[in-house]
Amino acid sequence: MSTHSGDAGSIRNIDSFSSVAELEDIDFSKLPKPRHLNIERQGSYDERSLTDTQLGFSPHPPSRAENFFRALEHFDGVYSPSKRSGFTTPRSPFGQGPHPMIAEAWEALRRTLVHFRGQPVGTIAALDNSDEKLNYDQVFVRDFVPSALAFLMNREPEIVKNFILKTLRLQSWEKKIDRFQLGEGVMPASFKVLHVPVRNTETLIADFGESAIGRVAPIDSGFWWIILLRAYTKSTGDTSLSEMPECQKGMRLILSLCLSEGFDTFPTLLCADGCSMIDRRMGVYGYPIEIQALFFMALRCALLLLKHDSEGKEFIERIVKRLHALSYHMRNYFWFDLKQLNDIYRYKTEEYSHTAVNKFNVMPDSLPEWVFDFMPVSGGYFLGNVGPSNMDFRWFCLGNCIAILSSLATPEQATKIMDLIESRWHELVGEMPLKVCYPAIEGHEWRIVTGCDPKNTRWSYHNGGSWPVLLWLLTAACIKTGRPQIARRAIELAEQRLSKDGWPEYYDGKLGRFIGKQARKYQTWSIAGYLVAKMMLEDPSHLGMISLEEDKQLKPVLKRSASF
């Protein structure tokens, strides 16, 4: 997913971009014919867990979420290839007739399609022509995810397949920024199709971060690419794409980057500000929850997609080890509820050795005043960031929703996240779903943390702004936890204004009452996010392509005070 801050004008700087015009493109007619899976609930493609590596831990009783999934078992986790979503001819899942926004949204989404050599390869970020385009006329990897899911749910997988293969080609290109070469596995933040009328040619031009305002490479693009490859495979039952040598190599290159050993003593992934959906300086450098949750989900998806050949087995072993360490670390040190709040409030500092309870030397005085009133009796969430003497107590929507969908959150933790959203509905949802983070930073803290960023003023953009695209993530999390009524309530709120306001990118204000100061209209992922949310409510089996069930082989959560 993306927010957009690059300069499209710099696209003529050929040295800083990657062109694939001269490459022999993939001939889709010569690809292996799709091989469909015989999917059964008891041994489905998605349920190949760490059992493959002969790890064993005792199971526990079924959770509320698991019981909800069992009620949906007749869907088999995918929908029939012969079944097309009812949303091309819209109808309401609640027996109230079609909602006029659905047809409008599909029409708008189709207008965003980008074609390369006659084939659809993605959707541009926005259709707004009221202002300079900047890089909103490009296809962003993270932005395309909700569009891809909408097309998959509507039985139109070809565009998703084309997108996966085109971005894979771009990954293999040499990536240099100011004479410095990026890692081989880095996926582009975005790409565009450059038409040259004189030569009657089309060229793909990729941005790996060299044109973004902060000049930061996107860490999340590679993770979203793996997640989308698994969604395509799950939705279509076609394993031939993921089994292509090129796709297998692409996954291994991404994994090589994020699984590399270094000086870090944590299993989390160290990254800079601006490397994710929050692509500007917002104090999320270090170990932001969004990247850690996407990292966890991408690892689990890769575990399902990698072949068990000589090269694949090596990565599978590394993934299994990392998943155990990462799940332990995140469920213990990033988890925050009333009990943990009270523990931190009473922390001792300057503790040494492996017996330390306050392992990161966090100062109790660093607890912000707002968090004492924000934390409900029943509820919790994953912190925004945890590192040496640092706990970012802000609530971030994307990271917490992905934690639920990937089963990084235990069933109990997932329930508490939903309890928090219900308890703090006014603060997190307000009049337009959904806060990207809470609360906003302001005053002197805003000046220090954002560098006086005029776009990230309080309750705007990434600083507490409301983003309609997050609606699909909330809906998916609600369905997985057996609480679709929460999503229905949020969608009904969005339907009151989203179309009338022209499908804005984001909203401003504590309650999301105002269209964002610099928000683009007809933002593609706002449109696609709404469609995906509606289709998932109509047919909960769609959730299977973006959700991973709990892996019983991962160690259960341990107490925070336990020694290493």
Side-chain angles (χ1 to χ4, degrees):
M1 300 181 176
S2 177
T3 49
H4 316 276
S5 51
D7 182 3
S10 66
I11 204 164
R12 293 177 176 82
N13 183 359
I14 302 299
D15 288 338
S16 64
F17 283 87
S18 303
S19 168
V20 295
E22 294 79 14
L23 267 184
E24 180 184 357
D25 205 13
I26 293 176
D27 186 347
F28 293 95
S29 65
K30 295 181 179 179
L31 287 176
K33 292 184 179 180
R35 178 163 61 83
H36 292 278
L37 293 167
N38 180 22
I39 298 178
E40 296 180 2
R41 194 62 178 176
Q42 295 303 315
S44 77
Y45 178 82
D46 276 349
E47 291 164 2
R48 180 176 50 166
S49 72
L50 303 189
T51 308
D52 294 338
T53 62
Q54 278 75 51
L55 293 174
F57 298 97
S58 59
H60 53 75
S63 67
R64 176 180 179 182
E66 289 171 327
N67 288 331
F68 179 73
F69 265 116
R70 288 173 181 172
L72 300 175
E73 279 192 347
H74 63 283
F75 288 116
D76 284 337
V78 295
Y79 46 118
S80 167
S82 63
K83 180 181 178 182
R84 191 180 181 90
S85 171
F87 280 92
T88 42
T89 52
R91 56 188 172 86
S92 168
F94 315 120
Q96 299 172 350
H99 197 290
M101 279 178 61
I102 296 168
E104 177 192 334
W106 269 115
E107 182 183 352
L109 180 60
R110 295 193 188 284
R111 288 203 306 269
T112 69
L113 284 170
V114 173
H115 290 78
F116 178 67
R117 299 178 184 174
Q119 295 176 326
V121 293
T123 52
I124 60 173
L127 281 171
D128 190 354
N129 296 316
S130 62
D131 201 352
E132 58 178 327
K133 285 185 174 60
L134 294 177
N135 57 0
Y136 284 75
D137 61 343
Q138 298 189 28
V139 179
F140 279 79
V141 173
R142 70 175 71 101
D143 287 52
F144 181 66
V145 171
S147 295
L149 295 177
F151 286 118
L152 287 174
M153 291 176 185
N154 206 45
R155 302 306 302 164
E156 299 179 64
E158 197 62 27
I159 182 177
V160 182
K161 185 176 187 177
N162 295 345
F163 172 86
I164 288 169
L165 290 170
K166 288 294 178 290
T167 47
L168 184 63
R169 272 299 180 92
L170 294 171
Q171 180 201 36
S172 66
W173 229 231
E174 185 179 67
K175 301 171 276 287
K176 279 190 177 181
I177 300 178
D178 293 335
R179 302 183 181 181
F180 179 74
Q181 188 161 325
L182 276 68
E184 191 179 0
V186 173
M187 279 285 181
S190 65
F191 67 86
K192 71 178 297 181
V193 178
L194 184 65
H195 300 271
V196 184
V198 177
R199 298 181 181 178
N200 194 27
T201 61
E202 290 181 338
T203 303
L204 284 183
I205 303 211
D207 176 14
F208 290 94
E210 64 269 39
S211 292
I213 284 178
R215 300 303 189 266
V216 178
I219 292 179
D220 63 333
S221 287
F223 297 153
W224 281 120
W225 186 87
I226 293 175
I227 292 166
L228 190 55
L229 179 60
R230 181 259 175 185
Y232 171 89
T233 306
K234 177 68 175 177
S235 171
T236 63
D238 171 20
T239 62
S240 63
L241 180 62
S242 64
E243 290 177 353
M244 286 177 58
E246 295 87 349
C247 283
Q248 290 288 312
K249 181 182 178 182
M251 279 190 288
R252 292 196 301 267
L253 288 174
I254 294 168
L255 294 169
S256 293
L257 278 178
C258 61
L259 292 174
S260 60
E261 297 172 348
F263 288 96
D264 211 329
T265 60
F266 311 137
T268 41
L269 200 60
L270 181 64
C271 45
D273 259 328
C275 64
S276 60
M277 176 185 175
I278 297 179
D279 66 351
R280 299 164 77 93
R281 181 177 165 188
M282 265 291 290
V284 297
Y285 57 87
Y287 308 92
I289 179 59
E290 176 183 333
I291 293 299
Q292 312 316 318
L294 285 171
F295 180 30
F296 183 88
M297 189 168 193
L299 288 179
R300 289 202 61 196
C301 288
L303 200 61
L304 298 168
L305 297 169
L306 284 170
K307 285 184 175 180
H308 285 249
D309 53 20
S310 58
E311 291 179 296
K313 283 183 178 179
E314 176 192 346
F315 279 95
I316 288 170
E317 291 175 3
R318 294 169 67 184
I319 289 171
V320 169
K321 291 179 182 177
R322 193 62 166 262
L323 281 173
H324 277 288
L326 186 59
S327 62
Y328 172 88
H329 185 92
M330 296 298 295
R331 291 171 180 177
N332 285 277
Y333 304 123
F334 272 70
W335 181 250
F336 189 59
D337 56 16
L338 189 60
K339 180 185 180 302
Q340 305 295 1
L341 173 58
N342 197 66
D343 288 346
I344 296 170
Y345 182 71
R346 292 168 51 82
Y347 264 171
K348 295 178 181 178
T349 59
E350 308 300 328
E351 290 185 297
Y352 293 89
S353 86
H354 64 277
T355 60
V357 175
N358 185 2
K359 296 183 185 297
F360 299 97
N361 199 34
V362 173
M363 307 299 162
D365 287 346
S366 68
L367 282 163
E369 288 296 326
W370 63 266
V371 81
F372 293 97
D373 293 327
F374 180 72
M375 181 60 69
V377 174
S378 175
Y381 61 101
F382 286 98
L383 294 171
N385 215 321
V386 175
S389 294
N390 172 46
M391 281 189 177
D392 185 346
F393 295 94
R394 285 177 294 176
W395 180 88
F396 287 86
C397 179
L398 177 57
N400 276 275
C401 286
I402 291 293
I404 292 175
L405 295 177
S406 65
S407 289
L408 170 60
T410 65
E412 296 76 18
Q413 288 173 336
T415 296
K416 285 194 172 187
I417 292 172
M418 300 312 300
D419 287 345
L420 177 85
I421 293 173
E422 279 198 297
S423 298
R424 296 294 173 255
W425 186 266
H426 183 76
E427 292 89 341
L428 302 180
V429 180
E431 295 183 16
M432 177 57 67
L434 189 66
K435 288 294 179 197
V436 66
C437 71
Y438 181 89
I441 51 178
E442 50 189 314
H444 182 61
E445 185 184 11
W446 166 80
R447 287 189 286 272
I448 293 173
V449 171
T450 73
C452 300
D453 187 348
K455 196 166 185 178
N456 274 333
T457 53
R458 63 178 185 171
W459 307 114
S460 180
Y461 205 44
H462 302 130
N463 189 13
S466 298
W467 291 73
V469 64
L470 297 172
L471 197 59
W472 80 263
L473 284 155
L474 174 66
T475 301
C478 288
I479 294 172
K480 181 168 184 178
T481 53
R483 294 156 87 167
Q485 71 280 1
I486 300 177
R488 189 174 299 122
R489 181 182 174 193
I491 290 172
E492 288 172 354
L493 269 178
E495 287 177 336
Q496 294 176 16
R497 292 187 52 194
L498 198 52
S499 173
K500 294 176 183 177
D501 293 342
W503 307 92
E505 179 183 16
Y506 65 93
Y507 285 78
D508 285 352
K510 271 191 174 183
L511 300 178
R513 183 173 292 174
F514 309 102
I515 298 174
K517 286 183 294 185
Q518 298 186 43
R520 291 300 190 273
K521 296 287 188 73
Y522 293 95
Q523 184 79 15
T524 304
W525 69 353
S526 295
I527 297 166
Y530 167 74
L531 284 172
V532 172
K534 291 288 281 189
M535 283 191 279
M536 276 195 291
L537 274 183
E538 180 201 44
D539 181 358
S541 73
H542 288 314
L543 178 68
M545 70 176 73
I546 199 63
S547 173
L548 293 164
E549 295 183 31
E550 185 187 13
D551 196 323
K552 303 294 194 304
Q553 310 309 318
L554 290 177
K555 287 184 178 179
V557 65
L558 301 177
K559 294 182 180 178
R560 181 190 286 258
S561 59
S563 61
F564 286 124

